[in-house]
C-alpha cells in the first residue's frame, strides 16, 4: 500500500486482485479469499491467531460483534462455534466487507452480517465482542472506536481484545477501566500479544 492507502481506508487504491489462501480456523482447514488493501491479506495474522487460541468458547446464540473484520477470520470463527448466533462484522474498508461476505457464503456461515459501522442498528446490544482492533489508526481514533462499541455490551456481556504488548496493551487496559468504567483483566499473553477481557459495566 502506498501514500494514504491503509487497511482502514474506505476504498483502497491498490488493485483488487483476489487470491485464495488456505488457513486454519478453530481447528478446521479452509480456503478463503483475500486481496491487497485490507488487513493481513496473506492469511491469519499472529494477533488474531492468539485471540482465537485464548478466548473461551462463545455462548450458543445471541448477538456477537467483530470490530474491524478484515477478510472475516474472527466473525467466521464465531459463526463456526455458534451457528445459531447472529454475527455482526463491521469495518470501514468496503473491500474487507465484500471479502467477509464472500468468505462467509463460501464456508456456509449464513448468519454473518458484514456492514459499515453506521449501518448497525444503534439500539442493538451485544452478548459478545471479539476484536483485533486497528491500533495503528492512532490512540485518539482507537479510543473513539472503543468508546462507541464496548459500552454496547448487554448485561452479562463480555468483550475480548487482542493488543500487541509493545503497542500499548497495558495502558489501553487502564484506559478502559478509568474512562469507560468497565472491568478489564488480562486473559492471556502469548507471542508478544495480550488478550484483554472486558466485562459490561453497570447499567
Amino acid at each position: 500500500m502506498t501514500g494514504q492507502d491503509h487497511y482502514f481506508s474506505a476504498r483502497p487504491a491498490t488493485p483488487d486482485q483476489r487470491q485464495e489462501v488456505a488457513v486454519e480456523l478453530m481447528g478446521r482447514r479452509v480456503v478463503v479469499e483475500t486481496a491487497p488493501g485490507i488487513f493481513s491479506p496473506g492469511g491469519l495474522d499472529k494477533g488474531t491467531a492468539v485471540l482465537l487460541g485464548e478466548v473461551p468458547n462463545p455462548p450458543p446464540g445471541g448477538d456477537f460483534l467483530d470490530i474491524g473484520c478484515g477478510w472475516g477470520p474472527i466473525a467466521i470463527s464465531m459463526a463456526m462455534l455458534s451457528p445459531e448466533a447472529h454475527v455482526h462484522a463491521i469495518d470501514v474498508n468496503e473491500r474487507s466487507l465484500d471479502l467477509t461476505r464472500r468468505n462467509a457464503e463460501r464456508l456456509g456461515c449464513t448468519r454473518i452480517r458484514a456492514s459499515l459501522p453506521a449501518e448497525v442498528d444503534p439500539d442493538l446490544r451485544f452478548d459478545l465482542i471479539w476484536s483485533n482492533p486497528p491500533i495503528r489508526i492512532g490512540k485518539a481514533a482507537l479510543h473513539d472506536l472503543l468508546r462507541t462499541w464496548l459500552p454496547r455490551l448487554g448485561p452479562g456481556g463480555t468483550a475480548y481484545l487482542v493488543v500487541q504488548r509493545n503497542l500499548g496493551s497495558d495502558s489501553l487496559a487502564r484506559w478502559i477501566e478509568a474512562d469507560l468504567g468497565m472491568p478489564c483483566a488480562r486473559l492471556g499473553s502469548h507471542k508478544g500479544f495480550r488478550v484483554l477481557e472486558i466485562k459490561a459495566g453497570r447499567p
Side-chain angles (χ1 to χ4, degrees), residues 26-122:
M26 312 317 291
R28 178 177 164 189
R29 194 73 174 168
V30 298
V31 174
V32 297
E33 188 176 320
T34 71
I38 68 165
F39 178 67
S40 192
L44 191 65
D45 66 286
K46 290 180 182 178
T48 298
V50 169
L51 176 74
L52 296 178
E54 293 283 342
V55 291
N57 284 340
D63 283 292
F64 300 172
L65 176 67
D66 171 13
I67 305 169
C69 60
W71 55 261
I74 292 175
I76 289 168
S77 296
M78 286 175 148
M80 285 179 171
L81 293 170
S82 302
E84 297 304 312
H86 296 279
V87 181
H88 304 265
I90 61 170
D91 208 298
V92 298
N93 185 319
E94 294 180 3
R95 188 177 298 174
S96 291
L97 295 175
D98 181 62
L99 287 164
T100 294
R101 294 181 191 112
R102 292 170 66 90
N103 287 327
E105 182 178 6
R106 172 189 287 238
L107 298 174
C109 300
T110 60
R111 290 176 178 257
I112 293 177
R113 182 175 187 269
S115 60
L116 295 168
E119 296 172 338
V120 178
D121 180 355

Side-chain angles (χ1 to χ4, degrees), residues 172-192:
L172 182 64
R174 291 191 294 269
W175 175 83
I176 289 169
E177 289 204 323
D179 191 276
L180 303 182
M182 303 176 75
C184 181
R186 186 193 307 170
L187 177 70
S189 184
H190 190 56
K191 294 183 178 179

Side-chain angles (χ1 to χ4, degrees), residues 1-18 35-39 41 91-99 116:
M1 288 178 277
T2 60
Q4 295 302 307
D5 188 20
H6 304 283
Y7 64 82
F8 43 85
S9 298
R11 294 181 178 85
T14 48
D16 191 358
Q17 297 172 335
R18 304 295 172 101
I38 68 165
F39 178 67
D91 208 298
V92 298
N93 185 319
E94 294 180 3
R95 188 177 298 174
S96 291
L97 295 175
D98 181 62
L99 287 164
L116 295 168

